[in-house]
Amino acid sequence: LRMNNETTQWQPDMQKIGTIIQMIEYIQSDDNKKQKEAFAKFHELKQMEQFSAYCAAIFSRKSLSIAIRRQSGLLLKEALRTGFQKKDHTFHLSDAELNVCKQCLLQCLCEADEQSKFIRETSAIAIVTIVRELHCEPSTVGVLAPQSTEFDEWPDLIRTLLHLLKTHQSDATPTVLQSILNLVQLLCIDCGDILGECSDAASLVQALFVFASAQDRVMRQHCLSALYHLFGRLPTSLLSQIDAYVKLLLHCTSDTHVSTMKIVTDSMIVVMNQHWNVLSNNNDQSTVLKIFEFMLAGTMHADEDVHITAAEFWALYALDPEKDTALLLEFFPKLIPRLVQRCRYTNDLLEMIDFDNDDQSKADLSEDVAPVFYTSRSDRTERSGGAASASGNGGGGGVGDAKPKYPQVMDEEESSWNIRKCCASQLEKLSFAGEALKTKLLAIVLPMIKQALDSEQFLDREAGLLVLGAVTQKDYESIIPSLPELIPFILKQCHAEQHILVQQIGCWSLARFSNWYYTSTDGDRLYEAIFLQLLESMKSNSKRVQRAACGAIATFINGTKEKIFRKQQYIEALMNTFLAAFNNYHLKNFPQLIDVILCCTTVIAEYTSNTQQTSPPPSNGHCDGATATAAADTNGNGNEKKKKNMDNIFATQNNGNGNEKKKKNMDNILCDAKFQDALLPPIIQRWMALQGDHNIYPLFEALTQWIGFVGHSAHFQQQYLNQVFVTALNMAVEIKNEIRDYDEYVKTVRRDKHASNGTAADGDDDDDDDDENDANEPDKPEKEFWVCSLDLLAQIVERCEPGIRQLLWRQQQNEFHYQKLLEMMYCSICETHFNVRRNGLALLGTLVSYHGKELRPHVDKFMRVVIANLNQDWHTVCTNASWCIGQCLSVYATPTPTTSGDAANTKTLMMSDYCDDILAHLVDILKSKDAESFVISNVAITMARLVQAYPDRIIEKWNQFAVEWIHALSMFDEDDDKIQSFQTLMMVVMKNPTAVVQSRHGCRTLFEAIAAWENPPRFLNEQFGSVLNGFKHAAPSWDKLMNDLQPNIRQILRSRYNV
C-alpha cells in the first residue's frame, strides 16, 4: 500500500480494496484455515500506514453488504488503536490518512437506512477514538487528561456536528439526529473537559437544550446524558446557562420512561450538591415538593437502577447542613411509610435466594465460594475484633455495621445492593440527621414497626426487625422503655421453627443492643438467654442463619465484654459451639467461623490477661510484620474424619468456683490446657490437611493469632509447638523450592525457544502465551503461601520462648532446624514478591531481637541484602528493612570477643563495615520529598540507632541531614523510641551544634521539635533546657531566632525553659 506524496488527495487502489475485501470474507468464512490465514494477514496489514484509510473507505461504501462493512468497521477500530500508538511522541497515522478516516466516518454517521444502525454506532465510537487519542494523554491517576481546551487536531468537529444537526433537523425520521447526538454524548463522556470549554461549547449546549425538549425520547435521553456527563466537569459553557439546564430537568420530570427517569434523577442529585438554590427556585415550596414527588416516584419505581438512585436522594438532602429540612419534615408522613414498605422482601428478591442449597445437608461447591484474604498480625490489630461483629448480608442485610473480614456470600440477594438494603440505609441515615428529623421519624416509624412485628406474615416481621435495627443504630434511648418487652419477642423470632429469614434478621437485631445488655440492669437479666440463643443459632441447619449468628455472637461478646466470665459455663458453651460448628460448617461459612473464633478469643484473652508473658522485641518504629492479600477459595469440610463429640469436654473441669477471676500465673484463660486441647487439634489437623490449598488462609490466621495468646504457655510448647513449627517451616521451604524449580523451567524453555528461533534469550518475551500451552509445565507456585508461613514463623519466634530456642538451635534427628530456616529466610528477602520480602525481613528482625547471640555468626550473610531493601518506593519492605537494621545495630554494634587469644585484639565492631552504606541509604530517604511519612519516621529512628552506635563517624557528616533528621523525629508519637532518639539527638547537638546553626532553618526546626513535646521525661526535658540555654548564650542574634518562631512556640520555650 503506497500513498502518492505529491498530492494530499488520497485515492485508494481498487485492486487493494478488493484484496482487503477478500480478507474480510475469509475472516467471516467457516473454514478455520481461511480464518487463520486472514487474521495473520490482518495483523500484518494493520501496522501499515494506509490500512486504516482503506478500512474506512470500505466501511463507507454503501454498495457493499452490511456484513462486509460491519467487519471492516471492526478492523478499522483495531487499526486505529494500533495506529495511535505513540512513538517518540508522534502519531503513526499521517494527516492524509486521518482526513480520509474522518470524512468517511462522518459520512457513515449520517446514514439514514434502518439497517445501518451498526454502521452509525461504529462510526461514533471510531470518531471518539480519534478525538480522544489526538487530544488526550494518560494521566498519573489512570484517566485521560486533556492537553488543551480546543480540539486542535480536528478544529471544525463541533461546528460540523452542529451543522449536521441543523441540516437533518427537518428529516422525516430522527435516525440521523439520534446518531449525531449519540456521538455528542460519547464525546462528553470521554472528552468532556475539552468539549465543555472549547469555543463552540456554548452553542453545543444550547443545541442540546433544544433537542432535549423534542418529542423523540431517544434524542432526549442522549441530550440529557451528554449534559449530565458535561456538568460533572463544571464547564463554563454549562454553568453560565444553569437556569436553563435546571428548567430542562424540571420539565423532564414528567417523562416516566425508565431511562429518562434514571438520567434526570442522577442529574438532579449532582446539581443539588452545588446549585440547590437554582434547582429549588430559592427553596420555593412548590418546586421543592415537585422534586420530592419525583424522587418518591423514583423510589417506588419497579426498575432497579431508578429506585436505588432515587432512594439515595433522601439522606443526601437531609445530611447536607445547607439544606432546609423544614419541608422534608412536612414530607415525612408521605416518605417514611414508602421507605418502610420498600424494606420488605419483594418476590424478585425472594427469587434471588437459593433456599434449596441453604440447608446444612447440602455441600457447597468450591466454585461458588468467594475469595478469602489473609490478614497479617499488624493489620489484625486495626480490626479490633470488628470483622465478625457485622451482620452485613449474613445478618439479614443490616446497615451500618462494619464489613466482615471474610466475604459472606451465599446467594445473589445477599451479595447485591438492592432497594431493601438501600431504604433501610436511608432510614438509618435519616435518624442521624438531627434531633428534629429523628423525633419525627421515630414518631412515624415506631407504630409501623409494632404493627409489623405483630403480623402473622413472616415477611412483615422480618421487615419490622430490619427497620427497628436501622433507626436505632446510633441511639436507641427512645425505645429503651420497650426493650424489656421487645427483646424476648425478638428471641422468639430466632427459634428454629421460624422462617430462616426471620431467624437471620432476629440474630442481627439482638446484637444491635449489645451495649444495653452491658450497661443496664434490665439488659443484664436477658444476657444469658440471648447468649445461649445465639449459640443455638450458630448450630442451625440454615447456612444463612449460621452466618448471621456468627456475626451476632461476635458483636454481642465485643459489646458485653467481661460478662462472659460471670459463669465458667459460658466459656465452655462457647468453645463447645465452636467445636460443633468446626465439624459441621461447609465451605462458604467456614471462613466466618474462623473469624468469629478469632474475634471472641481475642476478647477472652484481653479480659483475662494481666501482663504479657514475654517482652516484645526492642521497638524500632512501625514494623509491618506481614500483610498477605492472598485470594482463596475457602474449604470448609474436606474429607476429614469427624471429631469426637466434645459436648461434655469441660464437664469434669471445675474447682467449685466458676466465677474465679484469678488465673494461674495470671495467664489468659485460653492458656488453660483444656481449652487448648479442645480447639487446637482440629484447627491444626485441618491446617495440615490443606497444605497447598487456598482454603488454608483462615487457618493460618487463626494459628498465628492463637499462638500470640498461648504460645508462651508450657502446655502449648510441650504439646503443639514442634508440630506447628516444623510444618510451617517445611511449607515455607517447599514453596521456596517450587518457585526455584519453576523459574528454572521457564528460563530453560525460553532459552531453548530462542535458540530454535535464532534470537537472543534476553529482553521481553512476546511468546509467553505459548509456554502456557506446554503440557509439561509445572503449576505456577502460589507465593502467598510463603507469605503466610513467614508470618506464622515470626509469631512463633516471638511468642514461644524458651521452647523455640531449643527447637531451632539444638540438633533434632540429625539436623538443625536453623539451617533450613536461615536458607529459606535468605531466599525470601531476595524475592521479587513484595509481601514475601517484607515478611522475610520481619522474621529476620524478630530473630535478631530474640536470638541475637545464636544468629551472630550468620548476620553478615544477610546485611547487604537488607541494606539494598532500603528503597523508599518499596514502602513496607523499606520500613521492615530499616527495622531489621535498627535491631542489628542495637544487638551487634558493640565490641565482641574473637577466637584469638590476644586480649588486646579481641574487640571488633561487627556492624562497622556497613556503617557508611547504611548512612548513605538513610540520608537519601530522609532528604527525599516523595517518601511516605511512615517510612521517614521509621528511618529516623534507625538513624538514631546508627548515631548511637557510631557517634564519632556520623557526627562528622551530620550536617548533610541534620534538619531533615530533626524534622522526621518530630513526626511520630511520644514513645520509648522517640525518647531514645531525642536523647541521641541532644548528644549530637551538644557535640556539633555547628551543623544546626549553619543549616537553613536548622535552629527553627530544632526549637519547634523541642516545643512539640507534650510530656517529655524529666531527664530529657533537662537536656532540652541545657541545649536551648547553650544556644541562647552562644548565638549572636538570639532575639532574631526567637522572633522567627511562631508565637505559640516562643511561649512554650519561654515558659518551659526560661529562654
Side-chain angles (χ1 to χ4, degrees):
L1 301 176
R2 294 185 178 180
M3 179 175 289
N4 183 0
N5 293 325
E6 297 178 358
T7 176
T8 59
Q9 182 65 38
W10 181 81
Q11 294 295 331
D13 185 323
M14 297 307 298
Q15 182 178 355
K16 289 164 184 166
I17 287 277
T19 300
I20 296 176
I21 291 176
Q22 185 182 33
M23 180 188 72
I24 292 174
E25 290 173 342
Y26 273 30
I27 290 176
Q28 297 175 332
S29 170
D30 294 332
D31 189 327
N32 291 336
K33 184 177 179 181
K34 287 184 177 181
Q35 287 183 357
K36 188 173 182 180
E37 178 185 342
F39 277 114
K41 188 66 175 177
F42 167 66
H43 287 298
E44 173 188 341
L45 291 176
K46 74 177 183 179
Q47 305 295 332
M48 303 178 67
E49 183 176 344
Q50 295 188 57
F51 183 69
S52 293
Y54 273 98
C55 286
I58 295 171
F59 184 60
S60 63
R61 283 180 176 262
K62 293 185 178 181
S63 59
L64 296 173
S65 69
I66 292 294
I68 294 292
R69 296 179 65 192
R70 282 167 61 98
Q71 188 64 54
S72 67
L74 296 174
L75 298 182
L76 173 60
K77 288 192 291 185
E78 178 63 25
L80 285 172
R81 279 193 289 268
T82 302
F84 279 117
Q85 291 177 352
K86 297 179 181 179
K87 299 180 180 179
D88 300 326
H89 302 287
T90 59
F91 288 107
H92 185 51
L93 299 176
S94 68
D95 290 341
E97 183 182 2
L98 271 177
N99 287 335
V100 171
C101 293
K102 293 175 184 178
Q103 181 180 353
C104 291
L105 290 172
L106 286 173
Q107 176 183 329
C108 293
L109 183 73
C110 297
E111 288 191 17
D113 296 339
E114 186 63 32
Q115 63 268 29
S116 298
K117 182 175 185 292
F118 179 86
I119 304 299
R120 294 190 293 272
E121 291 176 350
T122 302
S123 300
I125 295 172
I127 291 172
V128 173
T129 299
I130 293 175
V131 174
R132 182 181 63 241
E133 295 296 337
L134 284 174
H135 301 92
C136 299
E137 60 184 8
S139 72
T140 56
V141 295
V143 297
L144 293 174
Q147 294 176 319
S148 67
T149 57
E150 294 290 342
F151 293 121
D152 298 324
E153 302 296 330
W154 201 338
D156 63 340
L157 173 62
I158 304 303
R159 285 193 297 275
T160 300
L161 294 179
L162 289 170
H163 174 71
L164 290 174
L165 286 172
K166 185 176 182 180
T167 301
H168 293 276
Q169 194 169 6
S170 301
D171 287 0
T173 63
T175 303
V176 175
L177 291 176
Q178 292 173 358
S179 175
I180 299 169
L181 292 173
N182 175 52
L183 170 59
V184 173
Q185 173 188 337
L186 296 178
L187 287 171
C188 288
I189 294 173
D190 277 18
C191 308
D193 291 304
I194 302 176
L195 185 60
E197 301 295 345
C198 69
S199 56
D200 296 311
S203 299
L204 180 63
V205 168
Q206 291 175 2
L208 291 174
F209 288 162
V210 171
F211 288 103
S213 302
Q215 293 298 316
D216 184 76
R217 182 167 286 150
V218 175
M219 291 168 51
R220 182 184 312 136
Q221 290 167 4
H222 284 321
C223 292
L224 290 172
S225 179
L227 291 167
Y228 167 73
H229 288 97
L230 200 60
F231 187 83
R233 274 79 171 200
L234 300 177
T236 305
S237 57
L238 185 51
L239 293 181
S240 62
Q241 305 180 70
I242 188 66
D243 291 338
Y245 183 39
V246 167
K247 184 178 180 181
L248 171 66
L249 292 177
L250 293 173
H251 170 74
C252 291
T253 57
S254 59
D255 189 337
T256 58
H257 190 271
V258 171
S259 298
T260 305
M261 287 189 69
K262 176 68 169 62
I263 299 170
V264 173
T265 302
D266 285 333
S267 301
M268 279 193 169
I269 290 175
V270 171
V271 173
M272 175 185 74
N273 291 331
Q274 297 186 28
H275 298 278
W276 174 249
N277 284 339
V278 179
L279 183 62
S280 65
N281 192 19
N282 293 316
N283 280 316
D284 175 69
Q285 183 174 0
S286 61
T287 304
V288 173
L289 290 177
K290 182 177 181 181
I291 296 172
F292 285 176
E293 291 287 355
F294 174 76
M295 292 299 178
L296 183 59
T299 302
M300 302 305 296
H301 200 279
D303 183 80
E304 182 178 11
D305 290 335
V306 173
H307 60 225
I308 289 181
T309 303
E312 291 174 345
F313 164 84
W314 306 107
L316 290 173
Y317 181 92
L319 293 173
D320 188 340
E322 297 183 1
K323 302 292 188 297
D324 183 3
T325 57
L327 290 175
L328 182 61
L329 275 172
E330 294 180 13
F331 198 71
F332 261 20
K334 198 169 186 177
L335 168 66
I336 301 304
R338 300 295 186 275
L339 293 179
V340 172
Q341 177 183 343
R342 282 306 228 164
C343 290
R344 192 180 191 272
Y345 271 107
T346 63
N347 290 333
D348 290 340
L349 291 177
L350 290 173
E351 289 175 359
M352 296 167 64
I353 300 176
D354 188 4
F355 287 111
D356 292 338
N357 289 315
D358 182 66
D359 192 271
Q360 174 65 33
S361 62
K362 302 292 183 64
D364 298 328
L365 300 178
S366 58
E367 57 266 28
D368 294 333
V369 180
V372 181
F373 299 93
Y374 178 78
T375 304
S376 73
R377 292 178 293 153
S378 56
D379 291 338
R380 215 169 291 143
T381 58
E382 299 175 4
R383 284 168 49 195
S384 302
S389 66
S391 58
N393 295 326
V399 290
D401 297 294
K403 290 184 178 179
K405 154 119 172 23
Y406 294 119
Q408 299 188 3
V409 178
M410 179 177 173
D411 51 43
E412 187 179 357
E413 187 277 327
E414 285 186 289
S415 61
S416 65
W417 182 247
N418 52 52
I419 186 61
R420 175 175 172 273
K421 299 174 186 177
C422 181
C423 286
S425 175
Q426 295 303 298
L427 289 169
E428 177 184 11
K429 293 175 181 178
L430 288 173
S431 71
F432 297 171
E435 193 61 31
L437 286 175
K438 175 188 169 184
T439 301
K440 184 75 170 179
L441 169 67
L442 292 177
I444 298 172
V445 83
L446 290 181
M448 298 182 68
I449 293 174
K450 186 178 185 306
Q451 181 180 358
L453 297 182
D454 290 338
S455 173
E456 295 183 358
Q457 295 291 323
F458 76 88
L459 290 179
D460 290 338
R461 298 198 304 277
E462 196 280 340
L465 290 174
L466 174 61
V467 174
L468 174 66
V471 298
T472 57
Q473 161 65 10
K474 187 175 182 180
D475 183 1
Y476 53 82
E477 289 184 1
S478 56
I479 65 167
I480 284 179
S482 303
L483 285 179
E485 179 182 356
L486 181 61
I487 297 302
F489 172 83
I490 300 177
L491 273 168
K492 292 180 181 179
Q493 306 309 306
C494 298
H495 291 174
E497 66 270 13
Q498 300 289 343
H499 192 279
I500 61 171
L501 294 179
V502 178
Q503 294 180 57
Q504 180 184 19
I505 197 68
C507 292
W508 174 77
S509 299
L510 287 176
R512 302 285 268 188
F513 305 105
S514 296
N515 186 59
W516 180 70
Y517 312 139
Y518 181 69
T519 57
S520 72
T521 303
D522 289 334
D524 182 68
R525 294 192 188 100
L526 294 166
Y527 176 88
E528 181 171 311
I530 296 166
F531 176 69
L532 295 178
Q533 178 57 59
L534 292 178
L535 294 185
E536 191 64 29
S537 295
M538 282 188 66
K539 304 173 188 176
S540 170
N541 288 327
S542 165
K543 299 173 188 176
R544 291 177 70 99
V545 176
Q546 290 173 1
R547 287 194 295 277
C550 282
I553 196 68
T555 301
F556 180 77
I557 291 177
N558 267 315
T560 55
K561 304 182 174 87
E562 70 276 4
K563 283 186 182 291
I564 195 172
F565 306 112
R566 178 180 301 168
K567 293 182 181 180
Q568 181 73 17
Q569 288 81 0
Y570 292 164
I571 301 290
E572 295 172 3
L574 180 66
M575 295 299 174
N576 280 320
T577 300
F578 287 162
L579 286 174
F582 203 97
N583 293 329
N584 296 327
Y585 278 25
H586 291 303
L587 292 176
K588 291 180 179 179
N589 288 356
F590 186 71
Q592 279 74 45
L593 174 62
I594 293 296
D595 205 24
V596 73
I597 290 175
L598 293 179
C599 175
C600 294
T601 51
T602 298
V603 174
I604 293 171
E606 288 176 351
Y607 279 91
T608 57
S609 293
N610 185 34
T611 58
Q612 293 292 333
Q613 299 302 306
T614 57
S615 302
S619 176
N620 184 25
H622 170 70
C623 173
D624 192 332
T627 302
T629 52
D633 292 326
T634 311
N635 187 6
N637 242 8
N639 296 316
E640 302 173 37
K641 295 181 180 180
K642 292 289 185 179
K643 315 298 184 298
K644 67 176 182 177
N645 191 312
M646 305 295 289
D647 286 346
N648 298 313
I649 189 169
F650 301 109
T652 60
Q653 187 270 330
N654 211 321
N655 59 3
N657 183 5
N659 294 322
E660 180 181 354
K661 294 182 180 179
K662 294 185 178 180
K663 307 299 174 185
K664 184 178 179 180
N665 297 326
M666 302 306 292
D667 276 349
N668 67 69
I669 197 172
L670 300 177
C671 291
D672 190 309
K674 297 178 180 62
F675 288 101
Q676 292 188 45
D677 293 340
L679 282 183
L680 283 176
I683 291 177
I684 293 173
Q685 182 178 348
R686 182 168 290 193
W687 172 65
M688 295 179 67
L690 290 175
Q691 293 184 45
D693 192 319
H694 286 179
N695 307 315
I696 201 173
Y697 294 122
L699 294 163
F700 257 118
E701 182 175 335
L703 277 175
T704 304
Q705 185 161 324
W706 258 64
I707 289 172
F709 298 146
V710 304
H712 62 280
S713 67
H715 185 75
F716 176 83
Q717 294 184 23
Q718 292 167 4
Q719 298 297 321
Y720 304 107
L721 175 58
N722 183 77
Q723 184 181 24
V724 174
F725 170 73
V726 172
T727 303
L729 177 58
N730 288 338
M731 285 186 187
V733 171
E734 182 178 353
I735 191 68
K736 181 263 296 183
N737 292 337
E738 289 177 1
I739 291 169
R740 178 198 61 200
D741 295 343
Y742 180 83
D743 291 344
E744 286 297 323
Y745 175 86
V746 171
K747 289 179 183 178
T748 301
V749 170
R750 289 179 179 175
R751 184 171 60 248
D752 294 345
K753 182 186 299 183
H754 286 292
S756 63
N757 294 336
T759 58
D762 54 1
D764 295 334
D765 190 346
D766 294 331
D767 299 322
D768 288 345
D769 292 341
D770 294 341
D771 296 341
E772 297 178 3
N773 299 323
D774 187 348
N776 298 320
E777 180 179 355
D779 292 335
K780 188 173 183 180
E782 293 286 349
K783 296 184 180 181
E784 286 78 10
F785 295 129
W786 200 355
V787 174
C788 303
S789 300
L790 288 165
D791 194 23
L792 178 56
L793 288 168
Q795 182 79 312
I796 291 172
V797 170
E798 180 179 334
R799 297 292 296 160
C800 296
E801 288 290 344
I804 188 59
R805 189 177 302 274
Q806 298 175 4
L807 271 178
L808 266 180
W809 306 104
R810 292 184 184 178
Q811 189 170 1
Q812 309 284 335
Q813 298 179 353
N814 300 321
E815 67 175 351
F816 290 95
H817 289 313
Y818 80 84
Q819 295 171 338
K820 292 171 64 176
L821 179 70
L822 296 185
E823 180 190 2
M824 178 276 298
M825 188 168 61
Y826 180 81
C827 294
S828 73
I829 67 174
C830 298
E831 246 296 325
T832 55
H833 192 284
F834 267 37
N835 288 351
V836 172
R837 199 153 83 243
R838 176 183 56 191
N839 286 17
L841 290 164
L843 176 57
L844 175 59
T846 307
L847 278 169
V848 171
S849 304
Y850 289 98
H851 301 260
K853 179 180 178 181
E854 293 84 353
L855 198 63
R856 186 185 295 272
H858 311 280
V859 168
D860 283 332
K861 175 182 178 181
F862 294 89
M863 282 311 301
R864 292 297 179 192
V865 182
V866 176
I867 295 171
N869 278 292
L870 288 174
N871 184 326
Q872 68 183 43
D873 295 329
W874 295 343
H875 293 181
T876 50
V877 171
C878 180
T879 59
N880 280 11
S882 174
W883 179 70
C884 277
I885 292 170
Q887 299 304 91
C888 290
L889 289 168
S890 297
V891 176
Y892 300 127
T894 55
T896 58
T898 67
T899 57
S900 171
D902 186 356
N905 296 321
T906 59
K907 292 186 177 182
T908 179
L909 292 179
M910 184 176 176
M911 297 288 292
S912 179
D913 293 342
Y914 310 108
C915 177
D916 291 339
D917 197 7
I918 294 171
L919 177 64
H921 280 79
L922 297 183
V923 170
D924 286 345
I925 296 173
L926 285 173
K927 297 178 77 71
S928 171
K929 296 181 180 179
D930 301 322
E932 297 286 345
S933 59
F934 70 89
V935 176
I936 292 287
S937 59
N938 195 289
V939 164
I941 298 172
T942 303
M943 179 67 81
R945 299 270 178 93
L946 187 65
V947 174
Q948 190 175 25
Y950 306 105
D952 295 336
R953 292 173 63 175
I954 307 299
I955 288 175
E956 294 176 358
K957 303 176 181 179
W958 97 293
N959 62 303
Q960 301 174 16
F961 60 91
V963 174
E964 291 82 5
W965 183 37
I966 295 170
H967 175 69
L969 287 176
S970 65
M971 292 172 61
F972 55 96
D973 295 335
E974 297 175 9
D975 54 14
D976 289 341
D977 284 322
K978 188 165 186 173
I979 293 171
Q980 295 171 10
S981 298
F982 266 83
Q983 280 184 274
T984 304
L985 174 62
M986 292 303 103
M987 178 268 292
V988 175
V989 171
M990 288 186 280
K991 285 189 175 183
N992 184 10
T994 306
V996 176
V997 174
Q998 293 181 350
S999 298
R1000 185 183 181 188
H1001 305 311
C1003 290
R1004 185 175 74 184
T1005 302
L1006 176 63
F1007 298 166
E1008 289 175 348
I1010 292 174
W1013 276 82
E1014 294 181 0
N1015 189 27
R1018 181 175 178 180
F1019 65 88
L1020 185 59
N1021 204 44
E1022 291 174 353
Q1023 291 182 24
F1024 290 161
S1026 299
V1027 168
L1028 289 169
N1029 279 286
F1031 273 97
K1032 178 178 180 180
H1033 295 136
S1037 54
W1038 176 255
D1039 291 338
K1040 184 178 184 305
L1041 287 175
M1042 293 296 287
N1043 289 332
D1044 287 341
L1045 301 173
Q1046 294 293 328
N1048 62 318
I1049 303 296
R1050 290 199 303 269
Q1051 177 60 33
I1052 292 173
L1053 297 180
R1054 284 171 179 166
S1055 61
R1056 191 183 293 172
Y1057 305 107
N1058 196 28
V1059 293

